[in-house]
Amino acid sequence: MNILKHTIKKFIYGTLPYYFMKGYKPGSPYLKYYEYIKEHGYSRHLYEFKDEYANMPVDVQKDEEKGLYYVQKEEKRLYFRKSTPARKIQKYYRALSMEQDKRSPHHYFNSVKEVTGKVFVDVGCAEGYSSLEIIEEAKHVYLFEQDEQWLEAIRATFEPWQDKVTIVQKYVSDHNSSREQTLDDFFNNQTDEHLFLKMDIEGAERHALAGCKNLFQNCQKLDFAICTYHLHDDEAVISAFLDKHNCTYTNQKGFFRHKIRSVVMRGSKS
């Protein structure tokens, strides 16, 4: 059954669109994705380099004192939720690494040096993979994560940098409440800081942006990496917001989560 399913997906998502595109739009940059599926089969993570990560060794260890599993990432420990078994952590870590590869449309920065001396605002940090990458470079890191299941792991991961990390257990939104926070109010007195804003919040990016209009207007220096793939009209809505605030940005497009789409918009407002 799995072989039949694989063959059908390969035909529907690869062979058919490949020959259609080759006949009617031979110059399309997306032709290579369909050709890849036609030759190699369908994959949720469709990158030409994905095989480099397929069998990447991931050494999952357990911190007996904390009762948490972790992966050693460049001499730093990235902890995971207690509810996640070691086998799933391996798969999850490979996917994270693949998504942040510079060849992926999902990557947030090309080099950790892009965050040197800046305040990194990680909206929807989950396990904190990206913040851990840049922790030594950033001036300060704000981790916004409401999910209680992640907080224990996040605190363990960033314990060595308590002096430069602030964990905020709230959703970033367009209004303030006991569970929600606007970035306009949170950074009201820090508009002279150079901020790097990263957003990956399952389709709530537009609400978070609505709550930081003043920040985009008044912040002297602001860089960003905003996900645009969760909702069907994210690309149009988010690009309209960035255009309104005179931002310069790159729209990173590619095959991600089953289709070709806009994935992340990276740029700045200064």
Side-chain angles (χ1 to χ4, degrees), residues 174-238:
D174 55 2
H175 63 280
N176 296 308
S177 71
S178 60
R179 301 181 64 198
E180 295 159 300
Q181 174 71 57
T182 68
L183 294 183
D184 275 345
D185 284 348
F186 193 88
F187 290 106
N188 185 43
N189 298 317
Q190 299 186 53
T191 53
D192 58 336
E193 293 279 12
H194 192 158
L195 303 182
F196 190 113
L197 177 61
K198 168 250 168 180
M199 284 188 183
D200 188 352
I201 41 178
E202 304 300 321
E205 287 83 2
R206 62 188 64 192
H207 301 298
L209 289 172
C212 59
K213 293 178 182 177
N214 293 336
L215 196 62
F216 269 80
Q217 181 176 338
N218 300 320
C219 190
Q220 295 183 17
K221 293 182 179 180
L222 176 64
D223 300 330
F224 54 82
I226 303 171
C227 288
T228 54
Y229 62 87
H230 294 108
L231 301 178
H232 72 92
D233 58 345
D234 270 349
E235 180 180 9
V237 171
I238 294 172

Side-chain angles (χ1 to χ4, degrees), residues 51-89:
D51 291 339
E52 297 174 24
Y53 291 92
N55 298 306
M56 180 180 76
V58 178
D59 184 17
V60 180
Q61 303 178 54
K62 188 169 186 179
D63 186 324
E64 296 295 345
E65 182 178 344
K66 291 183 170 61
L68 296 170
Y69 286 113
Y70 68 89
V71 173
Q72 197 81 19
K73 179 175 170 55
E74 298 171 357
E75 300 182 357
K76 295 174 283 191
R77 292 184 176 185
L78 181 66
Y79 285 86
F80 292 83
R81 295 182 293 188
K82 279 183 177 176
S83 60
T84 309
R87 180 180 54 81
K88 286 191 175 181
I89 289 174

Side-chain angles (χ1 to χ4, degrees), residues 20-171:
F20 176 84
M21 192 71 73
K22 187 176 181 181
Y24 293 95
K25 295 182 179 180
S28 172
Y30 300 137
L31 185 64
K32 64 180 181 180
Y33 294 106
Y34 299 126
E35 183 176 19
Y36 186 91
I37 297 173
K38 181 175 72 71
E39 297 298 328
H40 301 280
Y42 180 81
S43 172
R44 181 174 183 269
H45 296 287
L46 185 64
Y47 305 131
E48 294 168 300
F49 57 88
K50 74 179 182 67
D51 291 339
E52 297 174 24
Y53 291 92
N55 298 306
M56 180 180 76
V58 178
D59 184 17
V60 180
Q61 303 178 54
K62 188 169 186 179
D63 186 324
E64 296 295 345
E65 182 178 344
K66 291 183 170 61
L68 296 170
Y69 286 113
Y70 68 89
V71 173
Q72 197 81 19
K73 179 175 170 55
E74 298 171 357
E75 300 182 357
K76 295 174 283 191
R77 292 184 176 185
L78 181 66
Y79 285 86
F80 292 83
R81 295 182 293 188
K82 279 183 177 176
S83 60
T84 309
R87 180 180 54 81
K88 286 191 175 181
I89 289 174
Q90 289 181 319
K91 185 176 180 180
Y92 184 52
Y93 188 82
R94 290 186 185 107
L96 286 171
S97 302
M98 191 172 3
E99 287 179 357
Q100 292 310 309
D101 188 293
K102 298 181 187 68
R103 294 168 289 180
S104 159
H106 193 279
H107 74 282
Y108 301 132
F109 34 77
N110 294 326
S111 166
V112 296
K113 298 298 182 183
E114 293 180 26
V115 189
T116 301
K118 302 174 186 178
V119 174
F120 190 68
V121 186
D122 196 342
V123 181
C125 67
E127 75 296 316
Y129 182 97
S130 296
S131 287
L132 189 61
E133 279 197 306
I134 55 83
I135 190 64
E136 301 288 359
E137 297 291 333
K139 178 180 180 181
H140 196 88
V141 173
Y142 290 93
L143 300 164
F144 286 85
E145 181 56 56
Q146 210 281 330
D147 189 341
E148 184 70 39
Q149 294 186 60
W150 274 119
L151 291 177
E152 182 181 21
I154 292 169
R155 293 188 185 105
T157 293
F158 294 97
E159 185 177 13
W161 301 277
Q162 293 182 53
D163 59 329
K164 65 186 302 185
V165 171
T166 301
I167 300 172
V168 185
Q169 190 181 359
K170 286 192 173 185
Y171 293 112

